[in-house]
Each structure stands twice: as C-alpha cells, then as structure tokens.
Amino acid sequence: MEDILLKNDTILGIDIGGTKCAIILGKGTVESIDIIDRVSFPTVNEKGCEGTIDRIFLEIENLLRAHDINVSDAAGIGISCGGPLDSKNGIIMSPPNLPGWDNIKIIDVIERRFNVKTNLQNDANACALAEWRYGAGRGLKNVVFLTFGTGMGAGLILDGKLYSGTNDMAGEVGHVRLENNGPVGYGKAGSFEGFCSGGGIAMLAKIRALEKLQMGEKVSFCGSIDELDCINAKIVADAAHKGDALAIEIYKESGNYLGRGLAVLVDILNPEAIIIGSVFARSKDLLWPYAKKVMENESLSYSRNVCKVIPATLGEKIGDYAALAVALI
C-alpha cells in the first residue's frame, strides 16, 4: 500500500453512473493529481451489465494504448459507483440506478483482467475523498461532503480518515426525516433528500406550480399543467435569478430545510467544514442566506463557530477526481 501512495505514477479511475460511465487516466499521488485523458459512454446497452463491463475493459485498453502506457505501470485503479455496495469485498449490490447490477464482484473482475490493485467506494465517499485531498477540504481533518445532486448523500472524513461505517452505510443523511410530510426522497416523505436535492427541489416546484395553475395564476417557469414534468432545479434557479417570487420561495424552503440538516451534522459530528456540491455549488446565493439563519438558530455555538460551510470547488470534474482518488486509498 505504501508503494501505491508514494509513486507519482499512472492511475486509472472508473466512474459508474446510472446514465454514463467514464474512464479517467491520470498521474498523481494523495498530494496532487493531473488528469491526462478521459472517455465516457452510455452505461445502458443491449448486453446489460456484462456489456458495460466489456466496454470498460475496452476503453481502459484504448486509453492506455493512445498514451503508450503499459497497464503494468499503473499504481492503482479506483471505482466510484452509487450504492449500496460492499467496498471491503469489492461488490456492487443492486444500486437502484443500475438495474441488473446485482452482487457484481467488480474488484475481482477488474483485477483478473488487469492485475492491478483496485479499490471501490460509493460515489459520495469518493467525492468526499476528492474534495478533501484536492479541493475545498485540503489540509483539514474532519470534513463532511454533501452531494446535493439528484439525491442527497454524504461522505465523511473523520480524524483524517474516510469513515464508511460497519457495512458501508455511513453518511446516508438523505434518509433522515425532517418533516412528517413533504416531497419524497430516498423512499421517505419529508426526508432531507426530499427537501434538499435536485429531485426534491423539482418536486417542490411541481407542487407549488400546480397550486398556482389550478387557481388560474401564471407561473413563469411552467406554462401549463402539461409542462409540470419538465420542471427541474435548474429551470427554477434560472427563474429565481430573474426575480420570480415563486421560484425564490421554493429555494427559500429548500434552504430552510438545508439549515436544519446542517445543524444536525454540526451538533453530532463537530466538523471543521461541510462541503456541498452540485445544486448548492451552483445556487449558493439562493440557498445559503436561509440555511445559514436556520443553522445558527438550531446548532450549538461551540460547534458551529469552528465549522465553515462551503461549496465544492472541483466543479464538473469532481467525478473524475473522485474515481482517481479511490485508486489511492
């Protein structure tokens, strides 16, 4: 393991998503990473999971060949994938966004093909590693990373180590219920994910827009009831930035619940930083004023005063950095 951490050498990342997969070629260590090249392709194909794995093999070999690199030169391969999974035994265990990926022993599959040490982590943990090592959390020991993307999950860096829990289920904050009723996220009405995710904001917007439209009022970001399914968090954010009162109110509601969730994390984990990605990173101005006020009212001052809440800094490349970071665990 020490050899892997100390070599400034070739590393490979595999980012397996419900829609797309990416193969990333990089060089680096736990201190810094340079992305050399990447390729992406649709996850779903007519041959199912086996077809996707075959495509992963092909694209890794193509990338290495294009850069005249032998696979034996690789220090490690990292796989980032949505959970649930068993990172210790390298098994992908039926993620909801990957139908047919049932108990796939992905580490065994990759290591048999390439004979290179391979690691697996869920995408939230992988992103937490990336932001901690190469982004907004650099130099800190206690960091919470919140995805705030399509869903809401967390990766935890505690005392300078990734914490994944007894069976890789630590950080599933999206399942925490904040209200008895509300948008459904992570299979639970009123959950943290229901209020604070791209999908949750879209659901809130559909509810509020439907109320207005049924009363004969106009909605700037939705022309008719038939268009409700076209609403997403970005459309609402764009309307809010143009001054639309309903859109601003929707983000205010999400921000208030974000503040509640942050207060819980601050009080329980006492982190130095909570780093938030995706929707928050793009729309901090719409969320943070309300989240900050609620967090200040709900959390203990001793813990709150040593914790900063900041947007992720790796941007659209965070998935690439995340997969590569897993290679260096």
Side-chain angles (χ1 to χ4, degrees):
M1 181 62 71
E2 285 300 314
D3 289 340
I4 290 175
L5 295 179
L6 294 176
K7 284 175 70 177
N8 188 353
D9 211 339
T10 301
I11 48 177
L12 288 156
I14 305 170
D15 184 7
I16 303 175
T19 303
K20 291 188 299 183
C21 289
I23 309 299
I24 308 96
L25 178 64
K27 284 185 178 291
T29 66
V30 293
E31 301 297 330
S32 65
I33 280 179
D34 291 322
I35 295 173
I36 299 170
D37 203 352
R38 77 187 298 276
V39 63
S40 64
F41 54 90
T43 302
V44 178
N45 62 75
E46 66 277 4
K47 295 182 180 180
C49 172
E50 290 185 4
T52 305
I53 292 173
D54 286 342
R55 183 71 183 271
I56 288 170
F57 291 160
L58 175 65
E59 298 299 348
I60 287 175
E61 290 163 353
N62 286 344
L63 268 183
L64 292 171
R65 189 180 305 112
H67 292 272
D68 196 24
I69 296 172
N70 293 320
V71 70
S72 59
D73 293 330
I77 298 174
I79 305 171
S80 171
C81 181
L85 47 79
D86 178 349
S87 66
K88 295 178 180 65
N89 294 303
I91 303 172
I92 299 174
M93 303 164 60
S94 305
N97 66 336
L98 290 171
W101 290 67
D102 302 321
N103 297 316
I104 303 299
K105 295 181 179 180
I106 192 68
I107 284 184
D108 286 348
V109 169
I110 298 296
E111 289 187 342
R112 279 201 306 269
R113 180 66 173 242
F114 298 109
N115 195 30
V116 174
K117 172 65 177 174
T118 302
N119 298 314
L120 171 69
Q121 282 293 333
N122 74 50
D123 47 4
N125 285 352
C127 288
L129 279 170
E131 281 289 343
W132 173 49
R133 287 179 174 169
Y134 313 115
R138 189 190 293 263
L140 303 179
K141 290 186 65 178
N142 296 294
V143 174
V144 176
F145 174 80
L146 298 180
T147 59
F148 208 138
T150 303
M152 168 64 82
L156 308 176
I157 306 295
L158 304 179
D159 285 334
K161 296 178 182 178
L162 176 66
Y163 178 76
S164 57
T166 303
N167 65 341
D168 277 329
M169 292 300 289
E172 298 294 353
V173 299
H175 196 247
V176 175
R177 194 189 299 277
L178 299 180
E179 284 287 0
N180 289 331
N181 296 295
V184 177
Y186 210 140
K188 183 183 284 185
S191 65
F192 195 5
E193 182 172 298
F195 286 107
C196 299
S197 64
I201 290 172
M203 280 189 281
L204 277 173
K206 289 173 186 177
I207 293 168
R208 302 292 179 257
L210 179 60
E211 291 171 349
K212 295 286 187 182
L213 291 168
Q214 286 185 338
M215 296 304 293
E217 299 179 41
K218 291 184 178 180
V219 177
S220 72
F221 54 85
C222 181
S224 69
I225 291 175
D226 292 337
E227 297 176 12
L228 286 171
D229 287 340
C230 296
I231 295 174
N232 58 41
K234 183 181 184 304
I235 287 171
V236 182
D238 289 344
H241 283 129
K242 293 175 182 176
D244 182 89
L246 178 59
I248 292 170
E249 188 63 27
I250 290 163
Y251 268 85
K252 176 181 178 180
E253 185 172 3
S254 180
N256 284 334
Y257 284 103
L258 176 61
R260 287 195 192 185
L262 294 176
V264 171
L265 294 171
V266 166
D267 285 350
I268 293 175
L269 296 175
N270 190 201
E272 295 165 271
I274 299 175
I275 301 169
I276 316 180
S278 199
V279 175
F280 182 84
R282 293 192 297 268
S283 303
K284 179 182 176 183
D285 59 322
L286 300 175
L287 292 161
W288 180 234
Y290 311 109
K292 180 182 179 182
K293 183 176 181 180
V294 173
M295 187 183 80
E296 288 176 347
N297 289 335
E298 294 289 331
S299 60
L300 293 167
S301 61
Y302 292 107
S303 300
R304 184 181 67 251
N305 290 340
V306 297
C307 177
K308 54 186 178 180
V309 178
I310 48 180
T313 58
L314 296 178
E316 299 302 319
K317 291 186 177 181
I318 189 169
D320 296 347
Y321 280 99
L324 292 173
V326 174
L328 296 170
I329 293 176

